[in-house]
Amino acid sequence: MSSIPPAPLDAAQLALAAAPFGSSRMLPRAAYLSDDVLAWEREHLFSGWMCLGRSAEIKPGGLRAESVGDYGVLLTRDPEGELRAFENACRHRGHELLPCGGSSDAKAIVCPYHAWSYRHDGSLIGAPHFKEVEKFDKSTLGLKSVRVQEWHGWVFVDRTGAAEDFTSYIGELEGIVAPYDAGTLVTAETHTYEVAANWKVIVENYQECYHCSMIHPELCRVSPPTSGENVELPGNWVGGWMDLRQGAETMSLDGRSGGVAMARLDEHELSTVMYVAVLPNLLISLHPDYVMTHQLVPLSPGTTRITCSWAFPADVAAAEGFSPAYAVDFWDLTNRQDWSACESVQRGMAAPHYEAGPLAPDEDGVYHFVSKMARAYQGS
Ligand code: FES
């Protein structure tokens, strides 16, 4: 029996969203608009394994703080390279140790409020004016640690410490991502967007190309919108692949690559792009020559911060004259087309009589996500 309580949503509407494909409906309107639902998601979805960003952002001897919406996590890497994660809260009176989004290469973590100091392993070094205080036991006042895992260059944390084993969380996605050697890729560019849409609207949009012929003319020139297939395999993710048109090397405005195809890809991987949503908040787009990721942080029911990054093989990124613009320009344009549609969906769903609609036969990828969410909301 699961100990997760049901989300504050209508049970009959959730049952419809979880019904077999072909007869199901989208999630109820409140799933996208309600503060109470977001609070439930933060407690039960965004508290187990979730992505915090790229591990290369935390250099040996470095610190970085990341916000995950309603709280912060402090990541540290000691000079030997070991990554650790802690709650970004001082053990004295809770001040954040680093502002979220900030980095430092300081040798010790010093709280900016009253200067308690900590090592990279979270242990307390000292607290001003406590020398004479009886029963002050430094060994009990280390930072609260958070379970952390590096996976192909991404950092994941599990705040609860009780989420399933990371290997089963990722499941069969391991074999799909491994040939791209994503852990060795170098991020060449990052864009941050704040989108006025619920985080699930963005995942749903990513899971289908039913909309592509309407809003993505540039994408349709390099990838047939009805091509490919969605897959259902073990792991807490959903996804599928789409073809590149004959003669197209990658997703770019002219279909040409400004880089080099990755060394270990097979024929299928060289002629397709794999789109994966690792739940709850990481979208990975595996191209023959680069990997793009979108990391989502819900800021409110109707607002999501999206960090999009483009990573390339290290020798390609370091080559003289290399520019990531061929990939970045294409996807920045496509992203903005998507965000505009997602924001319109969010506004449309606010209409008082909006009801969840049915899914088209091409939207099986959306169904995989929506039905997973419906089951999670049911407390199963
Ligand atoms: Fe950090 Fe006081 S809150 S030293």
Side-chain angles (χ1 to χ4, degrees):
M1 284 264 295
S2 164
S3 58
I4 297 177
L9 285 164
D10 181 86
Q13 291 183 44
L14 285 183
L16 257 182
F21 185 50
S23 59
S24 74
R25 290 287 183 277
M26 287 295 285
L27 293 166
R29 172 177 180 269
Y32 304 93
L33 304 178
S34 154
D35 285 316
D36 291 344
V37 172
L38 180 59
W40 183 96
E41 290 172 345
R42 283 181 168 152
E43 188 170 350
H44 301 293
L45 287 182
F46 288 85
S47 56
W49 290 119
M50 63 176 289
C51 181
L52 276 196
R54 291 290 284 174
S55 55
E57 285 168 18
I58 312 117
K59 310 275 180 234
L63 314 169
R64 184 165 176 82
E66 295 287 355
S67 162
V68 289
D70 58 343
Y71 68 99
V73 172
L74 180 71
L75 298 162
T76 74
R77 198 184 293 283
D78 66 23
E80 288 69 48
E82 185 172 346
L83 182 73
R84 295 182 176 88
F86 304 97
E87 290 180 353
N88 188 22
C90 179
R91 291 300 307 279
H92 176 216
R93 281 173 44 207
H95 196 286
E96 289 174 316
L97 296 158
L98 259 188
C100 285
S103 297
S104 164
D105 56 5
K107 286 197 168 46
I109 306 161
V110 180
C111 177
Y113 201 8
H114 313 96
W116 282 34
S117 57
Y118 304 86
R119 298 179 185 86
H120 280 67
D121 66 5
S123 58
L124 180 64
I125 299 169
H129 308 168
F130 268 87
K131 262 204 180 106
E132 313 303 326
V133 177
E134 243 184 273
K135 295 189 180 162
F136 180 71
D137 182 358
K138 283 197 289 188
S139 71
T140 64
L141 290 165
L143 299 178
K144 294 285 186 186
S145 68
V146 173
R147 195 174 173 207
V148 65
Q149 176 79 41
E150 291 181 83
W151 180 71
H152 294 296
W154 289 284
V155 176
F156 288 78
V157 292
D158 162 28
R159 183 176 58 150
T160 64
E164 65 188 312
D165 177 74
F166 190 82
T167 307
S168 42
Y169 165 72
I170 287 298
E172 298 286 319
L173 185 57
E174 173 60 33
I176 291 170
V177 170
Y180 293 83
D181 296 319
T184 66
L185 302 182
V186 171
T187 298
E189 193 150 332
T190 298
H191 289 189
T192 301
Y193 308 88
E194 197 168 303
V195 181
N198 183 273
W199 68 276
K200 297 182 293 297
V201 173
I202 291 153
V203 177
E204 289 155 5
N205 174 80
Y206 181 77
Q207 284 305 118
E208 52 94 359
C209 211
Y210 185 43
H211 68 270
C212 290
S213 57
M214 292 299 289
I215 70 167
H216 296 313
E218 298 81 7
L219 183 149
C220 293
R221 281 202 281 274
V222 286
S223 184
T226 54
S227 67
E229 220 169 272
N230 290 305
V231 292
E232 266 196 297
L233 292 166
N236 198 15
W237 57 277
V238 292
W241 49 270
M242 285 177 60
D243 291 332
L244 291 165
R245 283 195 192 276
Q246 200 152 21
E249 297 169 319
T250 193
M251 299 297 272
S252 65
L253 289 168
D254 62 5
R256 275 189 239 139
S257 169
V260 175
M262 291 179 211
R264 296 203 297 127
L265 304 188
D266 64 21
E267 217 174 299
H268 175 77
E269 290 154 347
L270 288 170
S271 60
T272 56
V273 179
M274 183 78 190
Y275 299 94
V276 174
V278 186
L279 302 181
N281 75 324
L282 178 66
L283 313 179
I284 307 175
S285 306
L286 301 162
H287 300 69
D289 55 337
Y290 64 93
V291 170
M292 175 177 68
T293 56
H294 295 85
Q295 185 194 340
L296 315 183
V297 176
L299 302 178
S300 74
T303 324
T304 305
R305 189 179 63 231
I306 304 174
T307 307
C308 183
S309 64
W310 291 263
F312 301 80
D315 55 342
V316 171
E320 210 183 313
F322 170 75
S323 167
Y326 75 96
V328 174
D329 291 353
F330 174 84
W331 278 113
D332 184 57
L333 174 70
T334 308
N335 281 341
R336 290 177 193 280
Q337 292 163 341
D338 280 328
W339 308 157
S340 171
C342 290
E343 290 182 341
S344 181
V345 167
Q346 187 74 24
R347 289 191 298 272
M349 285 193 297
H353 301 295
Y354 167 81
E355 279 178 14
L359 288 161
D362 288 348
E363 293 179 294
D364 54 326
V366 180
Y367 174 75
H368 294 160
F369 171 67
V370 162
S371 54
K372 252 181 197 284
M373 286 300 303
R375 289 192 296 274
Y377 288 143
Q378 286 169 327
S380 56

